[in-house]
Amino acid sequence: MPNRRKTTRATPTDSGPAGSPTAANADGISQKAADTQALAASIPFNTTKPQEHGLQNALAPGEGDTVVAPSRLPSGSTLTEINGNDKAGSVAVEGLNASIDTLDRVRVDSAGRPLTTNQGTLISDNQNSLKDGLRGPVLLEDFVLREKITHFDHERIPERIVHARGSAAHGFFECYDALSDITAAAPFQAAGKVTPVFVRFSTVAGERGSKDTARDVRGFAVKFYTDQGNWDLVGNNMPVFFIQDAMKFPDLIHAVKPEPHHGMPQAASAHDTFWDFVSLMPESTHMLMWQMSDRAIPRSYRTMQGFGVHTFRLVNAAGESVFCKFHWNPTAGTHSLVWDEAVKISGADPDFHRRDLWEAIEAGAYPEWELCLQVFTEDEAERFSFDILDATKIIPEELVPLRPVGRMVLNRNPDNFFAETEQVAFCTSNVVPGIDFSNDPLLAGRIHSYVDTQLSRLGGPNFHELPINAPLAQVHNNQRDGMHRQAIPRGRVAYEPNSLGGGCPFQAGAAHGFVSVPARLRAREEQAKVRGKPEAFADHYTQATLFYDSQSPAEQAHIAAAFRFELSKVTVPAVRERVVASLRNASESLARQLATELGMPSLPDALPKALEQPAEPEVRLSPALSLLARPGDGAVTARKVAVLVAAGVNWAPLAGVRDRLTQAGAVVRLVAPFIGLLRSAEGTELDAEASLENEPGFLFDAIVLPDGQDGVDALAANAHTMDFVRDTYRHGKPLLVFGAGTGLLAAAGVPQQPGQDPALVIVQDDAPGAVAAFMQALGAPRRFERETDPPQV
Ligand code: HDE
């Protein structure tokens, strides 16, 4: 039985005596009144008020003033907080926000548990509604049925307005060396410091259920749960963007999303409104080059780069700041699909990237990226030929090299997609001391939009309390109430300054709190409230040319083919011609090729440039812009290999290959005409886990064709086998072919030029050597040399 406090006279809550209350009655009430009086009296005036004024104070705000209360009574809401019970619990721990904790506090495991309602009431029958007799009417009093149906009716929440389709995982960021010289940001304060992260990858245009392998930008959003608060680095897999000012974002998204009259197409930019918009926005040309490149069809989230896009600031403890750009580089290297493959995969497995990420992490093949910074000063920025506030521009690595500062590893899949991946809210405004914004006008709009959009998507201002969004750093402020509020603040103080809470929570001051870099505005004569862009923003083509010219011949061919495909889907010739006219300012050869391949009667005149004489660029060729510049560590980790089998194949050599690949971390699947048991030529019983029809060849990174005539004949009798072989060859992927398996190559029309194609490995007498060559090709970039346009195989 809870302790019963001796009843005392109730304290009026709406008036009081003149004299200072004393703890005369030695009961809680008078003790509290006395302590509250003493506390309030100990703050005779707001000592920090003068510090709110003047530039010097503004540059280094001080810590708020607090006093230690004579007891915890004044800061408590009620004396009865001591009357604990299993639900009300006990008294809040002093200075602790107990809602801040690992996700373990909300994890649910129902093993061995009976079904209950959401109220915890055990459910006797989860099969039948309550009725007046077996054939009688269902009764409104059936709260079990009603609760179940009601909750079901409201399971869906609005999808993200962009980036609706995504997949995520948990992991950590590990800092290489302390960076306290350039930033006070928590993740970078010590060598080996580990910060938990949650990362969500996404496409942009497609709706929540759309395919993964669309041609699109990929979101690369990282939430750092630092010990100084959450930092969200909400980037993309491309370092630039279509527009330079947030004002145009709704226009851009309306143009790329399904057209409002017929709701098509889904998850694609290949349609009239998109190309109409971007062809009238020449500043989008550089980004269009990236989007038409293979970067828009990554092989996996694990093999794509990430970029913060905008110029940010790093700020050290002394308040000194430098500019920086963020880069994520995958250890596995940058690898992409080819278009024909991406289209086919969309049909066979719309979850291709989600499955790849999930299976890699489940297999312990934890994806890893290196975080690199481009750090430069304001003076250096002034001297660049482009404006660092322009999100359509990169800083070539040849101009400002990348500085590796740490690695990120994703090693835990979510327990629940909705609770974690769907409810996670990334907000570019979530920064920590040591990270600050630049005046990039695109970033400015994002600082507003991300928080704003969560209000409708996640039901109000308390989305930060959703466990996946909650920080690991303690949260103490005077924000109160709002939909679905979780925290139960102790005390009656919800304002600052205050004396009745001893001045708490108090402002942290410049020493610990987030202080915006006192970025010096331009000279007075340059200041004016304006709606406009700096001149340098008008250079719409120089970096589009840099990107295109820096691509390998195969990548350039892919860009041209992508423009051709996209524009061939545009139904208005004038829009196509406008695009080609604009591209003439970036690459004359590309524009001419497109005019021809789109059957244009003539080559459109080049579009007039907004800036005829742009500044001379520092860099005209940047090899780092080619995907081939980062082939990765050559490992075959999580690479998927299909070993084609059928009754009568020679299993022994295949078993050897399977074991070597598996040891190296590749994923090997036995693929047969049908799943299930079959017997090899040696009489070994094999169990095929996939079939030629349920896992088509283009879902794999390479294939192995067996020896054993009976088996080869069985495979040859199934046209799926030909598709398997043809697609693998056409998509530039490795093939390892044993003995009679060469017959399948011939049947599929695959040319066999011994020694010409290191990724087409036909086993002669040195099987181990052949397997090694095959594995090397598996870890390497695709064999684009095979490509012809149109494809011959
Ligand atoms: Fe976004 N963006 N964006 N964006 N964005 C959203 O926020 C927005 C931009 C990016 O996995 C939305 O939570 C504006 C650039 C990612 O949950 C929304 C502008 C870059 C994600 C939004 C941009 C991005 C979003 C929709 C121009 C690369 C998914 C749902 C001013 C640096 C985050 C949401 C996740 C999501 C607004 C431009 C990346 C509407 C206004 C540039 C990765 O707030």
Side-chain angles (χ1 to χ4, degrees):
M1 183 56 197
N3 54 12
R4 281 189 61 70
R5 272 184 50 236
K6 187 160 70 42
T7 56
T8 63
R9 66 184 181 76
T11 304
T13 51
D14 58 356
S15 72
S20 293
T22 61
N25 308 342
D27 65 15
I29 286 202
S30 55
Q31 184 64 54
K32 179 170 180 165
D35 290 358
T36 302
Q37 168 61 16
L39 178 60
S42 70
I43 298 181
F45 62 90
N46 181 346
T47 56
T48 57
K49 181 54 71 176
Q51 277 81 37
E52 290 176 20
H53 308 85
L55 183 59
Q56 286 321 306
N57 286 325
L59 291 172
E63 196 171 273
D65 222 359
T66 64
V67 295
V68 179
S71 73
R72 290 195 70 201
L73 293 174
S75 60
S77 302
T78 163
L79 288 167
T80 57
E81 64 183 356
I82 56 171
N83 295 339
N85 65 39
D86 294 350
K87 177 61 184 177
S90 60
V91 179
V93 175
E94 185 159 15
L96 180 72
N97 178 334
S99 72
I100 299 290
D101 197 347
T102 77
L103 293 179
D104 291 347
R105 74 180 171 86
V106 290
R107 290 194 189 286
V108 179
D109 184 295
S110 299
R113 309 292 294 193
L115 271 170
T116 73
T117 65
N118 284 332
Q119 308 310 317
T121 302
L122 291 172
I123 293 175
S124 61
D125 177 340
N126 191 41
Q127 319 311 321
N128 300 296
S129 306
L130 182 65
K131 293 175 284 190
D132 178 5
L134 285 181
R135 297 186 68 254
V138 171
L139 302 175
L140 210 50
E141 70 185 71
D142 186 349
F143 64 87
V144 177
L145 170 73
R146 294 179 61 180
E147 182 201 80
K148 189 174 181 181
I149 298 285
T150 294
H151 195 282
F152 171 79
D153 293 345
H154 305 282
E155 284 182 0
R156 294 288 163 275
I157 65 170
E159 68 175 31
R160 291 169 175 82
I161 193 163
V162 282
H163 298 265
R165 168 74 189 185
S167 306
H170 292 273
F172 63 87
F173 172 77
E174 181 181 11
C175 181
Y176 289 158
D177 299 305
L179 291 181
S180 40
D181 57 326
I182 55 173
T183 178
F188 307 117
Q189 292 318 297
K193 182 170 184 181
V194 170
T195 301
V197 298
F198 188 66
V199 178
R200 182 173 181 274
F201 305 104
S202 52
T203 54
V204 177
E207 290 162 1
R208 183 164 32 207
S210 62
K211 61 190 175 182
D212 279 342
T213 53
R215 174 175 294 285
D216 199 353
V217 189
R218 294 300 183 285
F220 194 132
V222 180
K223 188 181 283 291
F224 293 83
Y225 301 95
T226 86
D227 52 27
Q228 289 196 359
N230 283 358
W231 169 33
D232 293 355
L233 184 55
V234 195
N236 275 348
N237 75 327
M238 299 176 191
V240 289
F241 204 64
F242 298 92
I243 55 176
Q244 298 163 317
D245 191 308
M247 184 65 85
K248 301 313 294 174
F249 191 68
D251 304 278
L252 168 70
I253 299 305
H254 288 170
V256 75
K257 281 276 182 178
E259 301 196 8
H261 59 310
H262 55 34
M264 296 182 286
Q266 179 55 229
S269 54
H271 61 109
D272 292 0
T273 56
F274 175 72
W275 288 98
D276 182 35
F277 176 73
V278 291
S279 61
L280 293 167
M281 295 282 283
E283 61 263 53
S284 67
T285 310
H286 185 192
M287 182 63 172
L288 290 175
M289 287 290 190
W290 283 80
Q291 187 168 354
M292 293 306 116
S293 79
D294 295 343
R295 291 163 180 273
I297 42 175
R299 158 65 186 84
S300 159
Y301 293 135
R302 301 174 293 106
T303 61
M304 71 178 197
Q305 289 180 288
F307 303 91
V309 176
H310 309 285
T311 297
F312 288 88
R313 285 179 180 277
L314 296 176
V315 192
N316 64 19
E320 299 151 342
S321 106
V322 288
F323 284 129
C324 89
K325 291 240 183 189
F326 295 99
H327 298 240
W328 295 103
N329 289 326
T331 308
T334 47
H335 301 282
S336 284
L337 304 171
V338 291
W339 181 241
D340 180 68
E341 177 189 14
V343 172
K344 287 174 175 165
I345 290 175
S346 302
D349 185 3
D351 303 309
F352 184 72
H353 287 151
R354 179 174 289 177
R355 191 181 315 282
D356 171 86
L357 183 69
W358 179 273
E359 289 183 353
I361 293 174
E362 283 305 290
Y366 302 140
E368 184 166 333
W369 292 261
E370 186 162 63
L371 178 63
C372 300
L373 309 179
Q374 284 181 295
V375 177
F376 51 99
T377 65
E378 300 209 21
D379 296 344
E380 287 168 324
E382 292 291 323
R383 292 192 293 275
F384 291 158
S385 64
F386 49 86
D387 192 319
I388 53 126
L389 301 182
D390 179 351
T392 66
K393 306 287 187 338
I394 61 164
I395 301 175
E397 296 183 28
E398 294 74 12
L399 187 57
V400 179
L402 267 54
R403 175 179 172 180
V405 296
R407 70 185 184 118
M408 176 171 71
V409 177
L410 299 183
N411 61 0
R412 179 171 179 159
N413 277 318
D415 270 27
N416 180 269
F417 187 92
F418 181 87
E420 299 169 74
T421 305
E422 193 60 23
Q423 291 195 135
V424 68
F426 293 93
C427 302
T428 41
S429 51
N430 292 348
V431 290
V432 292
I435 306 283
D436 200 350
F437 311 114
S438 70
N439 290 345
D440 176 332
L442 192 70
L443 177 57
R446 299 183 67 203
I447 292 167
H448 160 69
S449 176
Y450 289 71
V451 174
D452 180 51
T453 197
Q454 313 306 344
L455 302 182
S456 55
R457 186 172 80 88
L458 297 172
N462 290 318
F463 63 86
H464 62 280
E465 291 192 304
L466 290 169
I468 193 66
N469 296 322
L472 287 177
Q474 280 284 299
V475 172
H476 295 276
N477 57 43
N478 295 315
Q479 294 163 32
R480 291 288 182 274
D481 312 346
M483 192 76 84
H484 304 314
R485 181 68 177 183
Q486 309 289 311
I488 303 176
R490 179 174 181 273
R492 59 177 168 164
V493 168
Y495 53 92
E496 187 276 336
N498 66 71
S499 71
L500 299 179
C504 298
F506 55 92
Q507 78 175 33
H512 305 292
F514 178 87
V515 177
S516 293
V517 168
R520 295 265 174 279
L521 289 181
R522 301 213 169 295
R524 177 163 296 291
E525 66 281 355
E526 281 188 34
Q527 280 180 20
K529 278 190 186 173
V530 291
R531 291 188 187 279
K533 297 180 175 69
E535 290 299 332
F537 277 46
D539 174 2
H540 297 148
Y541 296 107
T542 301
Q543 292 205 352
T545 306
L546 168 66
F547 179 79
Y548 185 75
D549 290 355
S550 302
Q551 302 301 293
S552 66
E555 288 170 298
Q556 287 187 338
H558 292 173
I559 291 173
F563 271 113
R564 179 182 69 204
F565 175 87
E566 296 263 328
L567 294 173
S568 69
K569 301 286 252 182
V570 169
T571 66
V572 182
V575 171
R576 284 191 227 121
E577 285 151 17
R578 201 187 300 137
V579 176
V580 172
S582 181
L583 286 174
R584 289 195 65 183
N585 292 327
S587 166
E588 183 66 12
S589 60
L590 171 62
R592 285 180 178 279
Q593 180 183 348
L594 284 171
T596 307
E597 294 178 356
L598 290 166
M600 291 182 181
S602 61
L603 179 66
D605 295 341
L607 280 192
K609 292 181 182 176
L611 186 63
E612 279 304 335
Q613 295 305 326
E616 181 61 27
E618 298 83 354
V619 177
R620 285 197 176 281
L621 274 181
S622 171
L625 294 174
S626 164
L627 283 169
L628 303 178
R630 290 188 169 83
D633 54 10
V636 298
T637 316
R639 291 286 171 140
K640 281 181 70 180
V641 179
V643 174
L644 270 56
V645 295
V649 298
N650 294 359
W651 174 240
L654 298 178
V657 175
R658 183 211 38 206
D659 299 346
R660 280 191 63 184
L661 285 168
T662 308
Q663 264 146 34
V667 176
V668 179
R669 296 237 193 290
L670 298 189
V671 182
F674 303 102
I675 63 167
L677 301 177
L678 57 91
R679 204 160 287 285
S680 74
E682 302 95 326
T684 310
E685 188 171 68
L686 307 177
D687 189 352
E689 68 226 272
S691 71
L692 294 168
E693 70 178 350
N694 80 355
E695 289 245 5
F698 46 75
L699 295 177
F700 293 90
D701 296 296
I703 68 174
V704 179
L705 301 180
D707 191 4
Q709 199 54 54
D710 293 349
V712 168
D713 293 346
L715 288 168
N718 185 322
H720 285 309
T721 304
M722 298 318 141
D723 298 340
F724 236 90
V725 174
R726 236 190 313 269
D727 283 331
T728 304
Y729 183 84
R730 180 189 298 179
H731 300 153
K733 298 172 181 175
L735 299 93
L736 178 65
V737 187
F738 287 91
T742 53
L744 299 172
L745 290 178
V750 169
Q752 296 168 54
Q753 306 128 328
Q756 302 251 335
D757 182 338
L760 176 52
V761 183
I762 297 173
V763 182
Q764 308 294 359
D765 40 26
D766 169 16
V771 175
F774 173 68
M775 291 176 70
Q776 190 178 4
L778 182 60
R782 301 283 179 92
R783 186 78 192 155
F784 294 132
E785 292 76 354
R786 291 177 190 160
E787 288 184 336
T788 59
D789 186 14
Q792 312 292 317
V793 176

